[in-house]
Amino acid sequence: MIGGLLASVLVAGLPAAADAAVSPAAKATVTAAVSAGATAPAGAKHHWGPVRSAAGHSGHAVADVWITDFSAETFAVSGTLRDRDPHRDHCAYIRARFHYTGGGTGWARPRSTCGPSGAFRLSSDGEITRVDVRVCVLDRGRRTTSSCHVDVIRAEDIANWPR
């Protein structure tokens, strides 16, 4: 119990710059401990953890990301998207780019929320080798994104995670 609490404090307390420097293996160890207390969306198997938009802005967007197995016929990225920006017209935005086993890439339709939080689910059209999860701040008035951060998730990143 205390280990899970400590791990959740560590993950929540990581600034965006430090989070980018954390290796996938180290992130896997911390998020595996956190996932015991987190609630997985239906069909999700692995808790990737938080993906936060880049710094340099007064607010930010955060996605708590869960993924299915890479061996699944249709891969899914799901979780909760949170808007942490005080500006009225700024919202949280997430999008995923899938890299297919047969070659080529495809973008999932983006999701956004302007409220405190909202659920999301982004699905592929087939088996993949990698997914790029992009979290940004969306300016509704200008219809542009800013402060984007991308987490690259590959099968080898989660291959040795505890089950």
Side-chain angles (χ1 to χ4, degrees), residues 1-102:
M1 175 72 176
I2 292 175
L5 180 60
L6 176 61
S8 65
V9 170
L10 288 173
V11 170
L14 287 175
D19 192 36
V22 175
S23 73
K27 190 173 183 179
T29 303
V30 173
T31 56
V34 174
S35 67
T39 304
K45 192 151 190 170
H46 306 285
H47 186 227
W48 178 254
V51 179
R52 180 182 164 147
S53 63
H57 192 268
S58 63
H60 63 276
V62 178
D64 185 27
V65 175
W66 289 79
I67 58 175
T68 58
D69 274 333
F70 276 85
S71 60
E73 189 174 318
T74 301
F75 184 85
V77 176
S78 55
T80 305
L81 183 62
R82 292 182 174 85
D83 179 11
R84 300 290 186 238
D85 194 300
H87 297 95
R88 188 183 68 159
D89 281 344
H90 289 182
C91 306
Y93 170 98
I94 189 168
R95 194 164 192 195
R97 184 176 187 183
F98 300 106
H99 297 257
Y100 293 100
T101 55

Side-chain angles (χ1 to χ4, degrees), residues 122 138 145:
L122 310 169
L138 171 68
T145 57

